[in-house]
């Protein structure tokens, strides 16, 4: 992973979704944080500023507003340097100062001393303590970057942090509907908690990767031509499921990985809700649906507001695969969850392309290389 420590990559990302953002303010927050952390290093030996910059980049990936980006850059200054809340308030105003203070307060919760059974209470407390939900988003991005760099910690610490991630942070991301955070947090934590199983699944998935990619490509072409006949324009892509969810399925169904067939999902994205049902009709005429697997989360959204149509159909050789059908609006809110609240409604073609690239089974997980 290339590590950037300047402010430029952050600015470049924001320019795509918010061209009139206050870049001068972001630049100032960066310089302030850089000065405050100067001389500090992370366990990896790198300059500390890399961490807040990476956290800000993760939040720019979900297109967060300027105040959140600035607070992300400053999120550790009150905790780890001589800078106080009042200094941040004087320099950056109340909105940013309160976000930084909120993150600082959450850091004081001691997860380790509690019983596992209390995880749910902890999650509730966490949500209640952060009056502004953006505080939680910064905390999740902070955890995500710490998980990505966990290999520098001692083995005991790795297990401790990974368990906390699995029990508190991944479920929080799920509750807030930010699936791209949830999946990556789960897979990273799983890699430390049950590394033998993680690398075994990753290896087995990799072995058949080529084959699977060809098959996905074929399915996409078939759906495309079916949709052309009824005049529906759609963006279609295949995605691998994340490693932890495959593992959970193996446990739940008591099966070996080779017996888990719907390891892939095809995602079809259209402009309007009625088109979703049109796509479903076409898919069901092309392949036989598996009974009991059709879910209409458009008519009845999940509690975290997730919306899509899900169906599992029998493909070549009787191998089932899942199809998820949704509008662009539903797609953006399922990728970004509660963070979608800060997004523009209209998707430019560039932003659509970025959204389509963001399959949860991230490259890191598929490569499955041991650190
Ligand atoms: Mn941090």
């Amino acid at each position: 992973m290339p590590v950037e420590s300047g402010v430029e990559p952050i600015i470049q990302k924001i320019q795509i979704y918010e061209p009139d953002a206050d870049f001068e303010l972001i630049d100032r927050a960066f310089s302030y944080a850089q000065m405050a952390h100067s001389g500090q290093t992370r366990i990896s030996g790198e300059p500390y500023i890399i961490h807040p910059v990476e956290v800000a980049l993760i939040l720019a990936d979900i297109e967060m507003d300027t105040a959140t980006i600035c607070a992300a850059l400053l999120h550790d200054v009150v905790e780890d340097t001589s800078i106080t809340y009042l200094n941040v308030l004087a320099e950056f105003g109340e909105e940013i100062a309160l976000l930084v203070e909120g993150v600082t307060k959450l850091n004081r919760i001691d997860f380790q001393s509690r019983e596992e059974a209390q995880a749910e209470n902890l999650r509730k407390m966490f949500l209640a303590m952060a009056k502004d939900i953006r505080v939680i988003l910064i905390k999740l991005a902070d955890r995500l970057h710490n998980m990505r760099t966990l290999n520098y910690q001692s083995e005991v610490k790795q297990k401790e942090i990974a368990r906390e991630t699995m029990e508190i942070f991944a479920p929080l991301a799920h509750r807030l509907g930010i699936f791209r955070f949830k999946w990556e947090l789960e897979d990273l934590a799983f890699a430390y908690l049950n590394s033998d199983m993680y690398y075994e699944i990753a290896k087995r998935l990799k072995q058949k990767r080529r084959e699977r990619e060809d098959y996905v490509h074929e399915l996409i072409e078939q759906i495309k031509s079916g949709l052309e006949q009824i005049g529906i324009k759609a963006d279609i892509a295949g995605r691998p499921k994340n490693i932890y969810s495959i593992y959970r399925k193996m446990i739940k169904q008591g099966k070996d990985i080779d017996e888990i067939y719907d390891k892939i999902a095809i995602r079809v994205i259209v402009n309007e809700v009625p088109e979703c049902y049109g796509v479903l009709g076409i898919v069901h005429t092309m392949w036989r649906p598996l009974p009991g697997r059709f879910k209409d989360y458009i008519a009845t959204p999940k509690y975290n507001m997730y919306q899509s149509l899900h169906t599992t159909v029998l493909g070549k050789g009787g191998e089932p695969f899942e199809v998820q059908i949704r509008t662009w609006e539903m797609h953006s809110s399922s990728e970004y969850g509660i963070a979608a609240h800060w997004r523009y409604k209209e998707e430019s073609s560039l932003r659509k392309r970025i959204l389509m690239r963001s399959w949860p089974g991230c490259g890191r997980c598929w490569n499955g290389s041991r650190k």
Side-chain angles (χ1 to χ4, degrees), residues 6-32 56-57 60 63-67 69-70 73 92 96 344:
V7 72
E8 296 78 19
I10 303 174
I11 302 224
Q12 279 166 19
K13 272 196 184 173
I14 298 173
Q15 260 158 356
I16 295 169
Y17 66 88
E18 203 185 340
D20 350 302
D22 190 346
F23 295 111
E24 189 267 323
L25 184 67
I26 294 167
D27 193 41
R28 217 147 51 74
F30 167 76
S31 304
Y32 194 86
L57 281 169
E63 307 196 350
M64 290 305 297
D65 62 351
T66 305
I69 300 293
C70 291
L73 287 166
F92 296 99
I96 293 172
Y344 294 112

Side-chain angles (χ1 to χ4, degrees), residues 42 48 51-52 55 72 75-76 80 103 107 138-139 142-143 145-146:
R42 299 206 91 210
Y48 195 87
H51 168 64
V55 173
H75 82 272
D76 277 330
D80 295 336
V103 177
N107 287 341
I138 296 168
K139 191 63 210 162
D142 176 52
R143 175 52 59 117
H145 184 243
N146 286 335

